Amino acid sequence: MTTARETVLGRIRDALALAPAPDITVPRAYRTGRTLPDDERLALFTDRLVDYKALVHTCTADRTAQAVAEVLQEQGARRIGVPAGLDAVWLGAYDGEVQRDSADIPAPRLDALDGVVTASAVSCAETGTIFLDGSPDQGRRALSLVPDLHVCVVDLSTVEVGVPEAVSRLVPERPTTLISGPSATSDIELERVEGVHGPRTLVVVIRTDV
């Protein structure tokens, strides 16, 4: 005996098989190739991040370890998780406990961490969006979503002006996570609630000379 769902889906499949497939051309006329000088791109990106209630720190590449350690100390993070491929030099000034992530660690156990430190793939200045693509220095999606603090290191050279420019740098086959500020939503009375679907606190460390 078939269910109503199976009946409906069966009729849809039959209709699609009988109907000729339309020749569809997807328009690709959006703006591409936009650029800005480094200082303007940094200012725009920072403005958007702050508007989303993210915390922003800037540093040079040789100060990465100090910047990350200072952020973690400010946030009171004594036990952090990091992707397996994160540069160990970035943690050289941190004196807390570091847990290298792996697929063998169940996602619920990540909730015991005070925070996580990751790199990033590319960012969009215009929207203040950071893209993670699951590379070894960014890790699996659960690692950046479960802990309440996410410290994300962004190289200014990976910050594009707009969405088309940023998306063009991504590898389509890789899983992509888009981050625009700390996790937030609104309840039925439009009261802002943070930390429901991801980290309550997002700190972005921008390396200005990389």
Side-chain angles (χ1 to χ4, degrees):
M1 182 176 179
T2 60
T3 64
R5 178 178 181 275
E6 292 170 340
T7 300
V8 170
L9 291 177
R11 290 177 179 175
I12 292 173
R13 282 191 290 268
D14 292 342
L16 290 174
L18 293 173
D23 186 13
I24 299 175
T25 301
V26 178
R28 305 288 186 185
Y30 43 74
R31 293 182 299 173
T32 59
R34 288 177 293 164
T35 60
L36 283 174
D38 285 353
D39 57 342
E40 293 183 27
R41 205 167 68 259
L42 174 60
L44 178 61
F45 186 45
T46 301
D47 177 76
R48 296 298 190 269
L49 288 170
V50 171
D51 192 49
Y52 281 133
K53 301 185 182 303
L55 303 176
V56 181
H57 294 254
T58 58
C59 68
T60 53
D62 61 350
R63 290 274 305 166
T64 306
Q66 288 75 14
V68 169
E70 289 169 5
V71 166
L72 293 173
Q73 183 178 19
E74 289 171 2
Q75 297 296 324
R78 300 302 304 162
R79 183 167 184 256
I80 64 166
V82 298
L86 190 77
D87 190 343
V89 173
W90 293 5
L91 305 172
Y94 176 63
D95 61 357
E97 180 183 347
V98 177
Q99 175 180 294
R100 291 272 171 182
D101 189 41
S102 75
D104 298 330
I105 300 175
R109 280 180 52 190
L110 299 175
D111 193 42
L113 299 172
D114 295 325
V116 58
V117 178
T118 75
S120 56
V122 65
S123 298
C124 173
E126 199 169 58
T127 64
T129 303
I130 300 170
F131 298 74
L132 308 184
D133 68 0
S135 293
D137 59 358
Q138 296 156 54
R140 54 178 173 156
R141 182 169 289 143
L143 181 64
S144 61
L145 292 180
V146 175
D148 206 37
L149 165 69
H150 182 189
V151 179
C152 188
V153 179
V154 173
D155 293 341
L156 184 58
S157 61
T158 67
V159 179
E160 295 288 346
V161 175
V163 172
E165 292 84 5
V167 170
S168 69
R169 295 182 59 162
L170 296 171
V171 178
E173 292 77 18
R174 299 197 65 84
T176 305
T177 301
L178 279 65
I179 302 170
S180 295
S183 169
T185 187
S186 296
D187 62 17
I188 195 170
E189 296 180 348
L190 300 182
E191 292 290 334
R192 181 182 172 92
V193 181
E194 298 177 347
V196 177
H197 307 298
R200 194 186 314 270
T201 304
L202 172 66
V203 183
V204 183
V205 177
I206 305 174
R207 306 201 300 172
T208 56
D209 61 340
V210 182

